Amino acid sequence: MGLLQAKSDALAARLAGRTLGQGGWLVAVQAAALDRLRPMGLPGKRDEYWRYTDPTSLTAVEPPKADLFDTKGEARPFSAIDRLKLVFVDGVFDSVQSDPLALDGVEITPLADAAGTEGHWAAGLYGMLEACGQSPVERPLAALNTALATQGMMIRVTGRPSKPISMIYLCTSDTSDAILHHCVKLAPGAELTLLENGPAAARLNKVLEVDVGEGARLHHVRTQGRDHQRRAATHIFGSIAAGALFKSFTLTANGRLTRNEAVLELLGDDAVAHVAGATVGDGEFHHDDTVFITHAGQRCESRQVFKKVLKNGAVGVFQGKILVKPGAQKTDGYQISQSLLLDEDSQFLAKPELEIYADDVKCSHGSTSGAIDETALYYLRSRGVPLKAAQSLLVLAFLAEAIDEIEDEAIADDIRDRLEGWLQRHEH
Amino acid sequence: MLEIKNLHVKLAEEDKVILRGLNLTIGAGEVHAIMGPNGSGKSTLSYVLSGRDGYEVTEGSAKLLGQELLDMEPEARAAAGLFLAFQYPVEIPGVGNMTFLRTALNSQRKARGEEEVSAGDFLKLVREKAKALKIDAEMLKRPVNVGFSGGEKKRNEILQMAMLEPKMCILDETDSGLDVDAMKLVSDGVNALRDAGRSFLVITHYQRLLDHIKPDVVHIMAAGRIVKTGGPELALEVEHNGYADLLAEVQ
């Protein structure tokens, strides 16, 4: 009882003084989220699902202070890519810095505006996938997000827009505490590339709900802010219909604490879901990828590809699960989580899981952690490649399988450039 | 070109002495072959010269064009003009063969204070050299040596040599694992690189390779030093009589 009490006390403290409800349909939806959150309370470090990552700073009433990162005038990610820019400053949408919310084949509405519109389509998605994702494992931070969010974008895609939508999260305050909740719904056959970059806040709680309709395709690529002390708990809840595709890639370089959860369900037959991550951490760095993919349809394909490069005591965590439901025959599930430990102080904790209730499936998983291959290093050096360049080449090679999950070459090149820059700045 | 004097080497982590006072001088434009029974220290010599970890030089020197190799990092030795064609070329998943070649070439040029080769010029150069070695575009795109057959790996070594244009080439059992046709292809590749400013040290077990790559000097190595030196006829003698007689005669 003591534990449970602590968790609900933490929640009560977090909710104290908050006014809930935005008006319109959102009032009832947020009240429902609060109702499912109350019996859970906030996560504690004794929770099995938080065994490798201490949630204390994510659940605390105030976020720990996070010094702002000086990018020294370096171009932001995706700068060279033609895109529709939506800018958030400290977690608040800034329409002045953003492009007009107009793009053929897409309807973009800020959460507050959508909430004030009776019969808005988002009323049927906001919080729905998050609620489904609470079982079989509770995700209280996501329910908290649904209950409290006042900011976010409701994006409905009915065609194939000519350029990506790009969310840019600026952080200008070292004590900012942002809650963002986005919903993306793709009509059958629609297609979208969604980009995200930036820290958003000293502490960020973000939920992205994606409903990918039949035969639709959603490509998602994000880079999380490089601020060394920032903290983030993010969730992606995805529902992928028959013949649809969802691919998500995340680059994480720096950050004191990051927990990225992806909860995806392949609902229809022949659906595809790929979720990948490339992570580089140096020093006080804790990164947790927690993935739960459910195969409900037949002949669906899922891939989880997570690569982490860790040094100077950095910690990487992977909890990945593939659940194959009864009847989900011909499932093709693949899961790989690997870490490259550049010294003996860093550590990688992995918990791969498979749970299969169909008899005609192909599921594979692998998890490794190791050091740089000394023989390959010698081979490169014997050809004249200097030690540090050779190490960088091998680190990038290690990350390649995750980056290869990005289909757009220009975006993939941007990610590679960022990683090369990071490696140069963090040479041994 | 290469001058090795009284070289003594032991394994760094155990007290096993491998080279015991090896002396070898190779002049510019010369091709030398080293033959010798298993365990005589041939491969160790090539590793020590190229700077592989795990060996400790206890005595002696090895100079390339007057520069002491043994004090240099492996990459500096390469930039100075040393090249080792590996007996077992290393597979590097995730690094494309082209990226690898271009990084190597430009790293060496940069180290020597030369201008880097542009992407266009590089592409032209690599295609031309690859064609002569029957290396197709597909092989150039693949990760370094990953999924290559034994013959492809050895051809890829010679391609690297052709691209990097080293001054001193060491071929460590380049003939091992090659069929007759592949050996001819590899040998032709090597012979095409022979010129007055480039020297070769060919390490092999068999005289066969030396039919294709004709040496000026043949050395017999045993127990960590060179015990006999002669002309190409020495290789034939080994082929016919084996090492036993030769070694008995020396002792």
Side-chain angles (χ1 to χ4, degrees):
Chain A
M1 195 59 211
L3 269 180
L4 217 61
Q5 190 59 47
K7 290 163 65 146
S8 67
D9 286 352
L11 176 59
R14 193 72 192 272
L15 295 175
R18 293 228 179 214
T19 340
L20 300 176
Q22 287 275 306
W25 52 264
L26 197 56
V27 176
V29 172
Q30 294 196 318
L34 205 52
D35 286 344
R36 60 178 172 270
L37 175 59
R38 282 216 166 89
M40 298 180 212
L42 291 180
K45 55 185 173 186
R46 305 278 290 271
D47 291 1
E48 181 62 24
Y49 215 48
W50 290 86
R51 191 170 171 175
Y52 305 118
T53 298
D54 181 353
T56 309
S57 63
L58 299 171
T59 59
V61 176
E62 299 293 337
K65 193 165 161 282
D67 292 341
L68 299 177
F69 185 75
D70 180 5
T71 56
K72 301 192 171 76
E74 189 190 327
R76 292 204 185 96
F78 316 128
S79 295
I81 290 159
D82 182 29
R83 64 220 157 107
L84 183 94
K85 295 190 278 289
L86 305 176
V87 180
F88 293 78
V89 180
D90 298 322
V92 178
F93 178 58
D94 183 335
S95 60
V96 177
Q97 291 196 59
S98 301
D99 290 332
L101 305 183
L103 185 62
D104 273 354
V106 192
E107 181 193 313
I108 307 166
T109 318
L111 175 60
D113 296 347
T117 309
E118 206 177 322
H120 195 275
W121 65 267
L125 179 54
Y126 185 98
M128 296 303 153
L129 296 179
E130 174 263 299
C132 293
Q134 296 295 347
S135 159
V137 188
E138 289 178 349
R139 305 172 199 279
L141 288 172
L144 180 77
N145 178 300
T146 301
L148 299 183
T150 59
Q151 292 286 326
M153 280 298 163
M154 306 297 111
I155 299 172
R156 182 164 64 164
V157 190
T158 49
R160 297 183 174 185
S162 57
K163 54 186 174 186
I165 292 177
S166 177
M167 311 257 204
I168 299 160
Y169 306 127
L170 307 180
C171 178
T172 64
S173 151
D174 59 5
T175 53
S176 50
D177 191 17
I179 296 181
L180 284 170
H181 194 121
H182 305 304
C183 292
V184 179
K185 185 181 174 75
L186 278 82
E191 201 167 329
L192 179 74
T193 296
L194 177 66
L195 306 173
E196 296 182 283
N197 71 276
R203 180 172 72 181
L204 170 66
N205 179 334
K206 182 164 67 77
V207 166
L208 170 64
E209 293 182 279
V210 299
D211 178 0
V212 189
E214 277 187 24
R217 300 167 76 85
L218 176 58
H219 295 274
H220 173 233
V221 179
R222 68 174 159 177
T223 70
Q224 297 182 297
R226 296 219 305 271
D227 305 51
H228 289 286
Q229 292 155 349
R230 64 141 188 85
R231 290 157 201 272
T234 78
H235 290 80
I236 301 171
F237 295 95
S239 162
I240 299 109
L245 173 144
F246 175 54
K247 281 193 176 186
S248 176
F249 170 89
T250 302
L251 167 67
T252 311
N254 306 347
R256 179 70 191 84
L257 174 64
T258 308
R259 162 94 158 199
N260 291 332
E261 296 196 26
V263 185
L264 308 176
E265 181 155 16
L266 295 148
L267 270 182
D269 296 339
D270 304 297
V272 175
H274 292 192
V275 50
T279 295
V280 286
D282 184 353
E284 280 207 309
F285 173 90
H286 185 107
H287 183 92
D288 177 333
D289 282 301
T290 292
V291 181
F292 196 114
I293 294 186
T294 304
H295 282 257
Q298 294 195 23
R299 299 178 303 278
C300 291
E301 174 196 304
S302 73
R303 282 172 69 86
Q304 302 174 39
V305 182
F306 288 91
K307 303 267 185 159
K308 293 175 168 61
V309 177
L310 305 167
K311 62 189 287 192
N312 289 325
V315 179
V317 175
F318 174 76
Q319 304 189 96
K321 178 158 182 169
I322 305 174
L323 169 65
V324 180
K325 285 191 166 176
Q329 302 297 4
K330 307 281 182 195
T331 284
D332 182 359
Y334 173 77
Q335 181 194 81
I336 184 99
S337 62
Q338 295 181 306
S339 74
L340 187 60
L341 305 176
L342 296 181
D343 53 46
E344 287 178 1
D345 300 328
S346 303
Q347 54 171 325
F348 177 54
L349 305 154
K351 195 172 100 177
E353 286 180 282
L354 296 177
E355 196 175 328
I356 302 173
Y357 297 101
D359 55 9
D360 185 12
V361 303
K362 189 173 89 184
C363 278
S364 62
H365 68 102
S367 188
T368 65
S369 76
I372 271 195
D373 180 351
E374 289 295 330
T375 312
L377 200 58
Y378 160 60
Y379 189 62
L380 286 167
R381 294 178 75 191
S382 81
R383 296 300 182 249
V385 183
L387 175 63
K388 284 171 183 175
Q391 282 168 335
S392 292
L393 207 56
L394 292 176
V395 169
L396 282 174
F398 166 78
L399 295 169
E401 189 185 359
I403 300 167
D404 286 347
E405 287 293 324
I406 304 171
E407 280 189 16
D408 185 296
E409 266 312 305
I411 296 174
D413 283 343
D414 192 319
I415 297 291
R416 274 186 211 103
D417 290 347
R418 310 252 142 219
L419 280 165
E420 273 173 35
W422 190 92
L423 290 169
Q424 273 167 20
R425 289 189 300 274
H426 294 259
E427 275 176 349
H428 295 243
Chain B
M1 179 66 75
L2 183 68
E3 190 172 23
I4 304 173
K5 277 190 184 161
N6 192 30
L7 187 61
H8 290 258
V9 172
K10 67 185 261 302
L11 287 181
E13 286 183 5
E14 42 189 300
D15 251 351
K16 191 176 174 191
V17 180
I18 301 181
L19 299 184
R20 305 160 186 269
L22 184 135
N23 291 293
L24 175 66
T25 303
I26 301 177
E30 291 178 358
V31 176
H32 287 225
I34 289 190
M35 302 180 76
N38 291 324
S40 56
K42 303 187 300 293
S43 285
T44 295
L45 174 63
S46 68
Y47 289 148
V48 169
L49 290 177
S50 70
R52 186 173 192 153
D53 277 348
Y55 300 96
E56 191 185 321
V57 176
T58 51
E59 212 182 323
S61 77
K63 287 184 176 164
L64 177 66
L65 294 163
Q67 270 185 293
E68 181 56 72
L69 283 175
L70 303 176
D71 296 338
M72 296 158 81
E73 296 293 337
E75 53 268 38
R77 300 179 195 204
L82 185 77
F83 182 92
L84 168 63
F86 281 53
Q87 182 180 0
Y88 304 108
V90 180
E91 297 187 7
I92 314 184
V95 177
N97 214 8
M98 289 280 248
T99 308
F100 166 62
L101 280 169
R102 196 168 157 217
T103 308
L105 180 62
N106 280 335
S107 298
Q108 291 199 13
R109 294 183 68 93
K110 205 171 150 190
R112 291 193 293 259
E114 298 164 9
E115 212 172 296
E116 294 191 7
V117 175
S118 74
D121 289 348
F122 171 79
L123 208 62
K124 222 170 102 185
L125 197 65
V126 78
R127 279 194 185 136
E128 177 195 310
K129 308 259 186 202
K131 199 175 161 196
L133 287 158
K134 297 202 171 137
I135 290 174
D136 59 22
E138 172 61 22
M139 232 175 102
L140 288 172
K141 272 191 228 150
R142 271 156 44 192
V144 181
N145 295 323
V146 177
F148 286 24
S149 70
E152 285 174 334
K153 283 182 181 170
K154 296 299 171 75
R155 263 147 61 199
N156 202 31
E157 293 292 290
I158 304 305
L159 173 64
Q160 292 166 41
M161 197 161 90
M163 291 296 296
L164 298 171
E165 301 185 315
K167 297 192 179 81
M168 179 72 233
C169 309
I170 304 171
L171 277 65
D172 187 9
E173 298 197 25
T174 294
D175 50 342
S176 69
L178 290 187
D179 61 32
V180 182
D181 293 341
M183 192 179 319
K184 174 118 191 359
L185 205 60
V186 163
S187 305
D188 288 349
V190 171
N191 288 329
L193 289 169
R194 288 179 72 158
D195 75 38
R198 184 171 292 129
S199 309
F200 290 85
L201 179 60
V202 181
I203 297 171
T204 182
H205 273 292
Y206 303 105
Q207 193 269 334
R208 209 170 42 164
L209 179 68
L210 304 179
D211 282 343
H212 298 289
I213 305 172
K214 296 210 158 44
D216 302 304
V217 184
V218 175
H219 307 275
I220 305 298
M221 192 166 168
R225 63 171 78 94
I226 284 166
V227 292
K228 189 165 181 168
T229 297
E233 73 286 349
L234 194 52
L236 284 169
E237 198 183 324
V238 168
E239 187 77 2
H240 291 140
N241 306 330
Y243 291 113
D245 288 358
L246 249 174
L247 297 183
E249 178 195 319
V250 172
Q251 278 149 12

